[in-house]
């Protein structure tokens, strides 16, 4: 459900209505996992390799200024989806370090 579809007037029927069948079919408790720390996902996936954990901690830090234990999963899901798009680059800070 896109944030832009949410409204607090009768127009919400038009903007949010088309998304409700899909939204209603999901388990609300599964959606709560997106608000948990990204480190929970890594733990549940069994990621134990130190290099991989440090790399993902670095990506979390570049995104939110916090390690994986302080970055919510939704942020990382969005960022990782965009980070691996063709032609994508990461400048942290923008333009690189001086």
């Amino acid at each position: 459900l896109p944030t832009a579809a949410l409204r607090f007037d009768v127009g919400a029927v038009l903007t949010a209505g088309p998304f409700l069948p899909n939204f209603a079919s999901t388990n609300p408790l599964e959606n709560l996992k997106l608000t948990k720390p990204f480190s929970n996902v890594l733990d549940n996936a069994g990621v134990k390799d130190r290099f991989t954990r440090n790399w993902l901690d670095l990506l979390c830090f570049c995104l939110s200024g916090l390690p994986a234990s302080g970055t919510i999963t939704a942020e990382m899901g969005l960022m990782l989806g965009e980070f691996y798009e063709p032609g994508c680059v990461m400048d942290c800070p923008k333009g690189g370090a001086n």
Side-chain angles (χ1 to χ4, degrees), residues 1 4 12 16 18 20 23 35 37-39 45-46 49-52 54 60 63-64 74 78 80 91 93 98:
L1 182 64
L20 290 180
F23 186 72
T35 64
F38 187 62
S39 59
D49 180 67
R50 186 177 170 136
F51 176 83
T52 303
N54 286 339
C60 287
L63 174 66
S64 68
L78 179 67
L80 288 173
D91 286 337
N98 292 328

Side-chain angles (χ1 to χ4, degrees), residues 28-41 68-77:
L29 297 177
E30 289 294 315
N31 293 333
L32 290 176
K33 290 181 180 177
L34 294 173
T35 64
K36 302 289 183 195
F38 187 62
S39 59
N40 288 9
V41 172
S69 61
T71 303
I72 64 169
T73 299
E75 269 186 288
M76 284 303 290

Side-chain angles (χ1 to χ4, degrees), residues 55-63 76 79-80 83 90:
W55 170 243
L56 291 168
D57 258 344
L58 173 67
L59 291 179
C60 287
F61 182 78
C62 289
L63 174 66
M76 284 303 290
M79 197 271 298
L80 288 173
F83 187 68
M90 181 173 75

